[in-house]
Amino acid sequence: MANNTDYVKVLYDENYSDVALSSTILTIIGGIVGVLGNGSVIICYFFRIKDRGERYFIPVLAVVDLVACITGSIFYVMDNTFFFNYPYDLMCRLLIFLQLLVPAISASLLLIISVQRYLLVCKPHGPRMTLRWKRISIGVTCLFTLTYSAPVLAISGIKTSYETFQNYTVQIKVCKFSTAETSVQNTAYLGFLLMLSIIIILITMSLFVPVLKTIKLSFFGKFRSGRKASEHRNTPLNTDSVSATDIELGKYEGKNPEIQIKKKSSSISGIYRSSSLIDDLDNNKPVNTFTTKDSEKTRMEKATRKITIMLFVIIAAYVLSYIPSLITLIVIYADDDLNIGTGSISRESAFVFIYFARFVFLNHIVNPFIYSYFDEKFRTELRKLFTHTTL
């Protein structure tokens, strides 16, 4: 047994110790960044930002990302450390189960967010996702994901095999998604997980495409309106032709210092009931015809657009990080001859497989950076949080 253990160590040191070490270092750094980042998001959104409004799903997603950073870090470090001699079967099963469950909940939450944004932006006069339905959707998502992830606890575990290395037979114990030989049940289950992942990605993207189109059209529409307004302001104006109706419609807001609106008390008094507005006209001051309601509506539209873009970037990061991992895992589990560490594939290929299979880990780390870039409220509260912490 001692010789066997020594040869397992030699196999590990000669072929994969440097790959495993680099992966461990990056995993620990990423895990620390992810825990600090998502922890800050949870503190700010749950306890410091009172009116979350359209940000309702962000702290929930941050909790999922925090759990993913912790469990993912433990799983990857354990896998790197015990590359060919994994010690605990129960830990292997639990960690693989969490590796499936937590990212699946994250993906499902992004699907719910896509539905919510689609209803809000593309169907503004249709049904909205109320607070009650948001809570129900989260509960249903967690229950459904837990149900289809549970079989992993039964099929995963430590898989023992015997390989020939330097004319010696060595015993290798690897933590695997499936310990059994290829069977109809396992193949069907893996096919189900694959199809479900693809369906979630496709639905999420298909819902966000019309959302982005709507926002883009609205943006360019406002741009054209602003350009026309600028042209009006720069056009010489015959003040005698300015009517009270024009003023009411906001065609001339008096922003050009060369434009002076003559006093037309008889017609203006029928439009503006406020004496302060009439005084402004008397003194040739700018006339602002936007009401508080209009200003609030514009502000809300800008906030909705900004949050929608932020959520789109989060979804794009999820898709870009998930696809390489999905493809890699499909290739590994579809080809039984691919056995990393026994010489069936090159060292370079093993390096690619290891890093690409764990690419999804980045998705749970980058989200706090996306929030801090797009959400001004979060940035403000984050600065206050770290300022008070350091004082």
Side-chain angles (χ1 to χ4, degrees):
M1 181 62 68
N3 285 337
N4 187 46
T5 303
D6 290 339
Y7 276 102
V8 169
K9 187 177 185 303
V10 171
L11 173 63
Y12 173 77
D13 290 340
E14 285 188 0
N15 294 281
Y16 304 104
S17 59
D18 55 345
V19 177
L21 179 61
S22 63
S23 176
T24 298
I25 293 173
L26 292 176
T27 298
I28 293 174
I29 294 173
I32 293 173
V33 172
V35 169
L36 293 176
N38 288 293
S40 301
V41 173
I42 292 169
I43 292 173
C44 289
Y45 280 102
F46 269 124
F47 303 107
R48 302 179 72 90
I49 299 177
K50 302 300 181 183
D51 183 18
R52 293 197 296 271
E54 297 180 36
R55 302 170 177 85
Y56 180 83
F57 289 106
I58 291 178
V60 180
L61 189 60
V63 171
V64 177
D65 288 334
L66 177 65
V67 175
C69 288
I70 296 172
T71 58
S73 298
I74 296 173
F75 175 73
Y76 296 142
V77 172
M78 284 285 294
D79 200 41
N80 292 333
T81 305
F82 304 102
F83 211 75
F84 297 127
N85 56 342
Y86 209 91
Y88 309 113
D89 184 75
L90 180 59
M91 177 175 284
C92 170
R93 292 173 186 265
L94 287 175
L95 289 175
I96 287 183
F97 167 70
L98 291 172
Q99 283 302 105
L100 174 62
L101 175 69
V102 179
I105 292 177
S106 177
S108 300
L109 285 175
L110 292 176
L111 175 60
I112 296 172
I113 289 173
S114 297
V115 174
Q116 188 258 346
R117 304 316 292 182
Y118 178 79
L119 294 176
L120 180 67
V121 176
C122 299
K123 305 288 183 181
H125 304 295
R128 296 291 182 89
M129 188 176 286
T130 61
L131 180 60
R132 178 172 176 267
W133 280 108
K134 289 177 182 177
R135 292 172 176 171
I136 290 176
S137 63
I138 293 173
V140 171
T141 293
C142 293
L143 182 61
F144 176 66
T145 309
L146 182 64
T147 301
Y148 75 74
S149 301
V152 173
L153 290 169
I155 67 175
S156 62
I158 295 177
K159 185 174 183 178
T160 303
S161 62
Y162 295 89
E163 306 292 342
T164 301
F165 176 71
Q166 294 184 357
N167 297 324
Y168 285 89
T169 301
V170 295
Q171 185 185 61
I172 293 177
K173 295 180 178 180
V174 182
C175 181
K176 299 281 287 183
F177 182 85
S178 175
T179 59
E181 298 297 331
T182 304
S183 63
V184 176
Q185 292 84 357
N186 285 355
T187 303
Y189 180 60
L190 291 173
F192 167 75
L193 294 178
L194 172 61
M195 289 302 300
L196 187 62
S197 300
I198 294 174
I199 289 172
I200 289 176
I201 291 175
L202 291 178
I203 294 177
T204 302
M205 294 176 64
S206 63
L207 285 173
F208 237 91
V209 166
V211 171
L212 292 176
K213 286 183 178 179
T214 302
I215 290 177
K216 184 178 180 181
L217 291 174
S218 175
F219 172 75
F220 282 112
K222 290 180 180 179
F223 175 77
R224 286 193 294 268
S225 298
R227 187 171 59 184
K228 289 180 179 178
S230 177
E231 290 174 356
H232 277 296
R233 286 195 297 268
N234 295 328
T235 302
L237 176 67
N238 182 1
T239 56
D240 292 332
S241 63
V242 177
S243 65
T245 305
D246 289 336
I247 299 173
E248 181 185 19
L249 293 176
K251 291 183 179 179
Y252 307 106
E253 297 178 0
K255 294 183 180 180
N256 191 329
E258 297 179 0
I259 301 176
Q260 295 186 354
I261 303 175
K262 291 184 177 181
K263 178 174 156 184
K264 297 177 182 280
S265 301
S266 58
S267 56
I268 293 174
S269 60
I271 301 170
Y272 300 103
R273 298 290 187 260
S274 172
S275 60
S276 61
L277 287 175
I278 299 176
D279 291 338
D280 287 344
L281 287 171
D282 287 338
N283 296 314
N284 294 324
K285 292 182 179 179
V287 178
N288 185 4
T289 60
F290 289 99
T291 63
T292 304
K293 184 177 179 181
D294 293 333
S295 177
E296 180 69 14
K297 183 179 179 182
T298 303
R299 187 185 67 82
M300 291 297 294
E301 288 177 352
K302 289 181 179 178
T304 299
R305 183 177 182 275
K306 198 166 187 177
I307 293 175
T308 301
I309 294 174
M310 178 183 72
L311 295 173
F312 166 72
V313 174
I314 292 172
I315 291 174
Y318 148 70
V319 173
L320 293 176
S321 64
Y322 196 79
I323 288 178
S325 299
L326 188 63
I327 294 174
T328 304
L329 293 175
I330 290 171
V331 172
I332 290 176
Y333 287 108
D335 192 344
D336 293 333
D337 294 330
L338 283 177
N339 193 351
I340 297 176
T342 59
S344 59
I345 62 174
S346 65
R347 181 176 174 175
E348 292 75 15
S349 299
F351 184 91
V352 173
F353 275 124
I354 289 172
Y355 274 91
F356 271 56
R358 301 171 180 181
F359 212 73
V360 69
F361 189 58
L362 289 174
N363 176 56
H364 308 293
I365 299 172
V366 301
N367 284 344
F369 295 96
I370 298 174
Y371 303 143
S372 63
Y373 181 81
F374 285 98
D375 195 341
E376 186 176 350
K377 276 189 177 181
F378 174 64
R379 285 200 307 272
T380 302
E381 294 301 328
L382 193 62
R383 280 194 295 267
K384 291 180 182 178
L385 178 64
F386 280 102
T387 301
H388 291 170
T389 303
T390 54
L391 289 179

